[in-house]
Amino acid sequence: MTHLLPRNKKLLSFLTRHHPILKTLLQHPPPISHYATQSSKFPEYEMPTVTWGVIQGKKEKLVNRVKVCDHLQTLGVITDELETIELPSTLDVISERLEFLHKLGLTIDDVNEYPLMLGCSVRKNLIPVLAYLEKIGISRSKLGEFVKNYPQVLHASVVVELAPVVKFLRGLDVEKQDLGYVLMKYPELLGFKLEGTMSTSVAYLVSIGVSPRDIGPMVTQYPYLLGMRVGTMIKPLVDYLISIGLPKKIVARMLEKRAYVIGYSLEETVKPNVECLISFGVRREMLPLVIAQYPQILGLPVKAKMSTQQYFFSLKLKVDPEGFARVVEKMPQVVSLKQNVIMKPVEFLLGRGFRVEDVARMVVRCPQILCSRVELMKNGYYFYKTEMGRPMKELVEYPEYFTYGLESRIKPRYQKLQGKGIRSSLNWFLNCSDQRFEERLEGNFIDVDSEGPVFDMGGKLDMPGDGGGEVVSDEDDDESDDDEVLYRRTLTL
């Protein structure tokens, strides 16, 4: 070390003269390795080794973890699943998380359902996620319920995972005000990948004829369709419905209006229900019309409902099993009608002097009278007896009379007939459009009565007696698509 001493000899002599220890060190310097190898007399002042801090940190973390787990166990939290996640190092932090979850509405039982939520930071996870959920339409009062149903959302990144899913839903035309409803109904959507099941299910529905603009309303009504696999769930159901006679476009229109049909199990519900309908006498060629009118019948406990209603019709209405099958073909909703609702119009007819056998005939011919309001039936019947003065036999032959509006159709048309001096059947002047009725009034002939719409498998829905298979519709429509015709006539009961 002598080469480091100052060259100024005066300074050196001054230092050696006043500091004898320094003089000794300069004259006899110790070897350099002395300070590197010998230990100090005071161990607490030793220089730490490279691994000392890490070893002490691990021990400290282990001790703190044990304390935290013991604290959670005293509160009733099951800590078995917490071994794989990093927990807070202090009791204050874990207590803060538990208190936050408690204010949200979650109990210890809810935490035990998904203990991993204790690994979420209040500031980094809980607050940003919950604030975003509230922003997109989930009310603050329902946030706790949402987290109970889908606690995994607390681990999600708002920017990377949640926001892209919400943007995808908006791109499907899900209304902004419906986002909260959709996600409350099916919160797992927030965990789906955009390029996965959601995209493929939408693409397939569009490929079978579902209008892209109707995807949004379908998702709002039944968001679970975005989580259903095409190859194992959606396509087999669609293929089966087509195989029993429903045109593909009718299936598409049906799914647009009744998206929940997609959720019916093909093997456990749909096929058994179709076979059940056949076993009760519904003709195979009428199945498409039955399903198109009442798609819900595919998911109901059909066997139980059909058995109950068939027995009721036989006992109270004297309708035999074959007649009941015809009723189901014309109005499949009858399987879900309450018996007290059915009896009100029946009791009205019986009270007006119709025989039980006549009421049975009327029900088989036009089961829609079972859904008619008694007050309206009274008005129609009163006009029929006092103004028209016709025999009751005509009502037995044409019970559809009770399904028309008195002020909107029956009375104005009858008055026009009176003005022209024309005498016709009820069927002739009621069962046609306004345009056809005017044409009949202007003509010098009376064409044959129409029997109502008839559906032939694979063919048009024709109106007999209306010439050339012209479709009678309440709205002008230039489309000649056969499937659209069937849809309009069968799905608007």
Side-chain angles (χ1 to χ4, degrees), residues 29 65 95 141 171 191 194 210 224 236 357:
R65 186 180 183 87
S95 298
S141 60
L194 303 185
V210 173
Y224 307 102
E357 295 79 6

Side-chain angles (χ1 to χ4, degrees), residues 415-458:
Q415 290 173 348
K416 289 182 179 181
L417 286 179
Q418 291 293 92
K420 290 281 187 177
I422 299 175
R423 170 84 179 179
S424 69
S425 67
L426 297 175
N427 189 5
W428 185 85
F429 81 90
L430 290 177
N431 187 25
C432 60
S433 65
D434 290 337
Q435 180 182 353
R436 176 50 57 91
F437 176 71
E438 295 296 335
E439 291 174 355
R440 288 177 176 179
L441 287 181
E442 297 300 325
N444 296 321
F445 61 93
I446 298 179
D447 54 359
V448 296
D449 289 343
S450 171
E451 296 269 334
V454 178
F455 174 67
D456 294 326
M457 290 292 292

Side-chain angles (χ1 to χ4, degrees), residues 187-385:
E188 289 83 357
L189 279 178
L190 291 175
F192 289 169
K193 301 297 182 183
L194 303 185
E195 66 277 4
T197 306
M198 290 199 295
S199 297
T200 55
S201 59
V202 170
Y204 177 76
L205 291 173
V206 173
S207 73
I208 65 171
V210 173
S211 173
R213 67 176 179 271
D214 287 317
I215 294 293
M218 289 176 66
V219 171
T220 304
Q221 179 191 140
Y222 191 74
Y224 307 102
L225 68 87
L226 293 178
M228 301 175 69
R229 295 186 178 278
V230 172
T232 58
M233 301 185 73
I234 303 178
K235 187 175 185 299
L237 176 64
V238 171
D239 291 344
Y240 177 75
L241 294 176
I242 294 174
S243 71
I244 61 177
L246 278 160
K248 182 185 290 187
K249 198 164 187 179
I250 297 301
V251 174
R253 299 289 88 78
M254 186 172 72
L255 295 181
E256 288 174 359
K257 305 300 180 183
R258 305 284 188 272
Y260 51 81
V261 172
I262 300 175
Y264 294 156
S265 171
L266 177 60
E267 299 298 332
E268 296 180 7
T269 306
V270 176
K271 286 184 177 180
N273 281 352
V274 170
E275 294 302 320
C276 181
L277 289 172
I278 295 173
S279 69
F280 273 87
V282 176
R283 294 167 292 182
R284 286 185 179 272
E285 61 270 21
M286 298 302 294
L287 284 174
L289 190 59
V290 169
I291 295 171
Q293 288 186 77
Y294 193 46
Q296 297 95 312
I297 202 169
L298 295 174
L300 294 174
V302 171
K303 186 174 182 180
K305 287 183 173 292
M306 291 282 284
S307 299
T308 301
Q309 294 293 64
Q310 187 187 68
Y311 177 76
F312 174 78
F313 270 66
S314 176
L315 181 66
K316 297 292 186 179
L317 280 65
K318 306 304 178 185
V319 175
D320 60 21
E322 183 179 354
F324 177 71
R326 303 292 83 78
V327 169
V328 174
E329 290 176 354
K330 294 176 181 177
M331 194 182 77
Q333 293 88 343
V334 74
V335 302
S336 299
L337 275 183
K338 294 182 178 180
Q339 295 177 358
N340 64 322
V341 174
I342 294 174
M343 286 306 298
K344 288 180 180 179
V346 171
E347 290 171 351
F348 166 78
L349 294 174
L350 293 174
R352 298 303 178 275
F354 290 96
R355 297 179 304 166
V356 175
E357 295 79 6
D358 291 337
V359 174
R361 284 181 56 195
M362 296 168 74
V363 168
V364 172
R365 175 179 170 86
C366 181
Q368 285 76 17
I369 62 174
L370 299 177
C371 301
S372 301
R373 292 173 54 190
V374 173
E375 293 79 7
L376 299 180
M377 294 180 71
K378 286 180 180 179
N379 295 337
Y381 181 78
Y382 180 78
F383 181 82
Y384 181 84
K385 292 297 292 183

Side-chain angles (χ1 to χ4, degrees), residues 42 60 65 70 87 112 126 136 165 176-177 191 198 206 213 269 281 291 343 363 407 412 432 451 457 477:
F42 305 98
E60 186 178 355
R65 186 180 183 87
D70 289 343
L87 292 176
N112 284 332
L126 303 183
I136 62 176
V165 173
K176 188 175 182 179
Q177 63 268 21
M198 290 199 295
V206 173
R213 67 176 179 271
T269 306
I291 295 171
M343 286 306 298
V363 168
E407 299 297 333
C432 60
E451 296 269 334
M457 290 292 292
D477 194 339

